[in-house]
């Protein structure tokens, strides 16, 4: 009987450990706003890409999702410099999803429908250029490069982009359908191994499920690495830097400049902005020294003027 009880106890401890492991790395990775009730349940009731005041906001910003790590500092500093704006609502979903939301006028997550029009939308240069008719002002305010995120210790000994073609390597790859970085990564693959490498990673390995195309890369790729579902993830340098900053067990493998790409981050002020002066003020703020210092803190680079 004692042996049976001991076995049951070990099993229960093991189950609890598994459940603790399930959610230990889950977002939100930002600081939630103060509230009378905080009802965030990791993996169940958890909306990490919506921020701030959704009711009657004085400023609405749609950020390409891979900038989520700057939001706390950026909005706090903006409010300090522009104290007239107290209610700010921010989304950090994939840029292609945000573009569809702008074009269609609404977005539903779970049971929540959002019909806000952004005052400012930020994304990569290609997306902003393609949507040029929506804006009455655009600026470039930051740049970024690619790196390879791997689990701490780099168990698959990933050294370069070429290693991603190996059959034993599981990749978490941003889906080019809604993530501009997906096309940027394909450009890097071409630099290293031409169309053959692109085909291997994006077709053959997708077919055999050793390349996983993400639904929301800026959260999903790090989680797949941290939870053991992927061996490598091509990501922006700033994303790997942030995971290290919050002490998650990852490493990054440098991609040489001749194989890498540089992405430009642009912001557009919407012609249909409902908070026009707020949009003007935020566009000016993005180009300020204080905003640029925040971007540099999180691993972005600032374009030379």
């Amino acid at each position: 009987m004692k042996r049976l009880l001991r076995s049951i106890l070990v099993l229960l401890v093991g189950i609890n450990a598994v459940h603790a492991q399930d959610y230990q790395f889950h977002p939100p990775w930002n600081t939630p706003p103060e509230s009378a009730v905080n009802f965030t349940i990791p993996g169940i009731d958890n909306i990490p890409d919506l921020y701030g005041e959704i009711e009657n906001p004085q400023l609405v910003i749609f950020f390409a999702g891979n900038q989520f790590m700057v939001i706390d500092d950026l909005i706090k500093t903006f409010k300090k410099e522009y104290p007239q704006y107290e209610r700010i609502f921010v989304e950090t979903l994939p840029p292609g999803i945000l573009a569809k939301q702008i074009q269609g006028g609404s977005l539903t997550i779970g049971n929540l429908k959002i019909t806000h029009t952004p005052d400012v939308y930020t994304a990569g240069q290609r997306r902003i250029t393609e949507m040029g008719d929506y804006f009455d002002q655009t600026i470039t305010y930051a740049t970024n490069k690619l790196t390879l995120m791997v689990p701490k210790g780099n168990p698959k000994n990933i050294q370069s982009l070429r290693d991603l073609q190996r059959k034993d390597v599981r990749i978490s790859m941003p889906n080019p359908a809604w993530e501009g970085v997906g096309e940027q990564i394909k450009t890097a693959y071409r630099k290293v191994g031409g169309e053959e490498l692109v085909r291997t990673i994006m077709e053959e390995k997708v077919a055999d499920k050793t390349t996983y195309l993400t639904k929301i890369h800026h959260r999903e790729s790090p989680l797949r690495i941290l939870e053991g579902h992927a061996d490598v993830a091509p990501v922006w340098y700033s994303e790997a830097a942030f995971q290290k900053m919050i002490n998650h067990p990852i490493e990054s493998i440098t991609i040489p400049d001749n194989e890498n790409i540089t992405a430009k981050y642009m912001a557009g002020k919407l012609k249909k902005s409902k908070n026009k002066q707020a949009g003007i003020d935020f566009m000016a703020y993005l180009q300020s020294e204080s905003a640029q210092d925040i971007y540099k803190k999180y691993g972005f680079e600032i374009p030379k003027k």
Side-chain angles (χ1 to χ4, degrees), residues 47-195:
I47 308 176
D49 286 306
L50 305 182
Y51 304 77
E53 303 288 339
I54 197 168
E55 185 177 1
N56 297 321
Q58 296 165 293
L59 173 64
V60 177
I61 314 161
F62 288 2
F63 279 97
N66 53 58
Q67 298 169 76
F68 74 88
M69 69 286 292
V70 309
I71 298 302
D72 288 353
D73 289 351
L74 203 68
I75 299 304
K76 179 181 178 181
T77 305
F78 176 74
K79 285 183 174 181
K80 184 176 180 180
E81 296 186 14
Y82 295 84
Q84 65 268 40
Y85 304 116
E86 297 178 356
R87 299 188 309 279
I88 299 175
F89 176 65
V90 175
E91 295 185 18
T92 56
L93 294 164
I97 300 299
L98 294 175
K100 289 181 179 180
Q101 183 179 356
I102 291 170
Q103 292 158 353
S106 63
L107 172 83
T108 296
I109 299 180
N111 298 316
L112 175 67
K113 184 176 182 179
I114 302 168
T115 57
H116 287 316
T117 297
D119 302 300
V120 175
Y121 168 57
T122 82
Q125 182 180 29
R126 179 178 63 85
R127 183 84 59 182
I128 295 292
T129 301
E130 289 175 350
M131 296 177 62
D133 290 343
Y134 283 84
F135 312 118
D136 56 20
Q137 180 191 1
T138 61
I139 60 169
T140 300
Y141 61 91
T143 64
N144 217 337
K145 289 188 177 181
L146 297 171
T147 191
L148 295 174
M149 185 185 294
V150 297
K152 191 172 181 62
N154 191 10
K156 287 296 177 78
N157 192 30
I158 305 295
Q159 298 299 324
S160 73
L161 288 168
R162 286 189 180 277
D163 288 328
L164 275 60
Q165 67 187 326
R166 286 165 33 195
K167 292 184 178 181
D168 66 317
V169 171
R170 297 168 301 165
I171 306 165
S172 183
M173 173 71 194
N175 193 327
W178 44 73
E179 282 281 6
V181 66
E183 290 297 339
Q184 304 271 27
I185 294 168
K186 287 168 65 176
T187 297
Y189 292 157
R190 289 187 185 95
K191 287 186 177 184
V192 174
E195 291 299 331

Side-chain angles (χ1 to χ4, degrees), residues 14-51:
I15 291 172
N16 285 335
V18 168
H19 286 306
Q21 171 74 16
D22 282 348
Y23 299 122
Q24 67 171 316
F25 298 119
H26 273 236
W29 295 321
N30 299 75
T31 303
E34 293 184 6
S35 180
V37 178
N38 188 331
F39 190 72
T40 301
I41 310 299
I44 300 170
D45 277 314
N46 177 17
I47 308 176
D49 286 306
L50 305 182
Y51 304 77

